[in-house]
Amino acid sequence: MKEILSMKIAANITYINKKPVIEFGDRIIPIEIQYDTRKNLQISIHREPKIVIKSPKGIPEAKIIQALFSRLKWIIKRLQHREEIQPFPSKFTYFDGEKHLYLGQEYELRIQHGKRVRVWFSNPYIEIEVPDPGNTYLVKEALEYWYGDETAEYVSQRTWYFIKQFVPEQLHPKLEFKFRKMKSRWGSCSSKGLITFNKELIRAPREAIDYIIVHELCHLKHFDHSSLFYQELSKIIPDWKTYRKMLERISLG
């Protein structure tokens, strides 16, 4: 067994059922070795998480594990970073008591029986009434619809606030924005001035929502991600990198 004790969380490489694993704190990360015709070792971290090593044919497993150990500090740092930026799940069960995000904070679902579908925020709960509380599809549909309504109301107000702050007045009549569910983006801006926001943006912290709004509005002036675009963005949201990281913590899909 090999071990690193200089880290905040001890890690070691060992074997369970004759298969190599990394023990990381109280977690066990499987190691998968794949052989092909490549010339060099390649180490990658998959989402599960799982460590995958692609190796040239003929290299003994002991030598591969030794190479992995030499990169263990880097691997643990990457795993810790992943834990920091993606603690919120993308897959939910939609049962009573499960935590969901609203304006960057986690709140428990409180699901009750009701004659009609209703969802509202009542700190510290997101209250949901549906005819069949055990029907997870019905609960999911109700929550997503509510997220869409909340996003549209809040983001519309904030968008117009920023439009009046720095968007030239002659552009105001041409602006249009809409809301839809997107699996990989929080927002987008077309060359014609149509801004689209993710219907679940209300899950993000207020500062991060402002960042997305300003990001898309800056595209009205610089329709790319050039240095001029980021200069414009930084004038209005100096800490935009911090807020972008907040968004990386929230899984889409």
Side-chain angles (χ1 to χ4, degrees), residues 126-143:
I126 296 174
E127 307 270 6
I128 301 178
E129 282 188 1
V130 288
D132 181 5
N135 186 329
T136 56
Y137 175 80
L138 193 60
V139 173
K140 177 176 183 283
E141 190 177 56
L143 183 61

Side-chain angles (χ1 to χ4, degrees), residues 5 8 36 75 78 105 133 140 145 157 178 200 253:
L5 295 175
K8 292 181 180 179
D36 58 23
I75 291 169
R78 290 289 300 274
Q105 300 295 319
K140 177 176 183 283
Y145 190 87
Q157 292 176 0
K178 64 179 182 179
E200 295 193 352

Side-chain angles (χ1 to χ4, degrees), residues 36 44 46 53 65 103 113 139 157 171 209 218 245:
D36 58 23
S44 59
H46 287 212
I53 307 175
I65 296 300
L103 289 172
H113 177 268
V139 173
Q157 292 176 0
L171 292 179
I209 294 173
C218 283
K245 285 184 179 180

Side-chain angles (χ1 to χ4, degrees), residues 47-59:
R47 184 166 184 160
E48 289 85 347
K50 175 175 68 175
I51 309 301
V52 175
I53 307 175
K54 294 182 179 180
S55 168
K57 295 178 180 178
I59 296 183

Side-chain angles (χ1 to χ4, degrees), residues 194-252:
L194 172 62
I195 298 174
T196 303
F197 294 108
N198 194 308
K199 289 178 71 173
E200 295 193 352
L201 189 51
I202 198 68
R203 295 199 289 142
R206 296 176 190 271
E207 302 92 339
I209 294 173
D210 282 353
Y211 154 67
I212 286 295
I213 292 169
V214 173
H215 181 111
E216 302 309 333
L217 290 176
C218 283
H219 279 312
L220 297 173
K221 189 172 181 180
H222 303 285
F223 196 64
D224 54 19
H225 288 104
S226 63
S227 58
L228 291 175
F229 167 84
Y230 286 111
Q231 286 174 22
E232 186 78 14
L233 177 61
S234 298
K235 287 179 188 176
I236 306 154
I237 309 283
D239 297 328
W240 63 268
K241 289 182 180 179
T242 300
Y243 306 138
R244 184 175 64 181
K245 285 184 179 180
M246 289 181 180
L247 291 167
E248 289 173 352
R249 302 176 67 203
I250 306 171
S251 299
L252 286 171

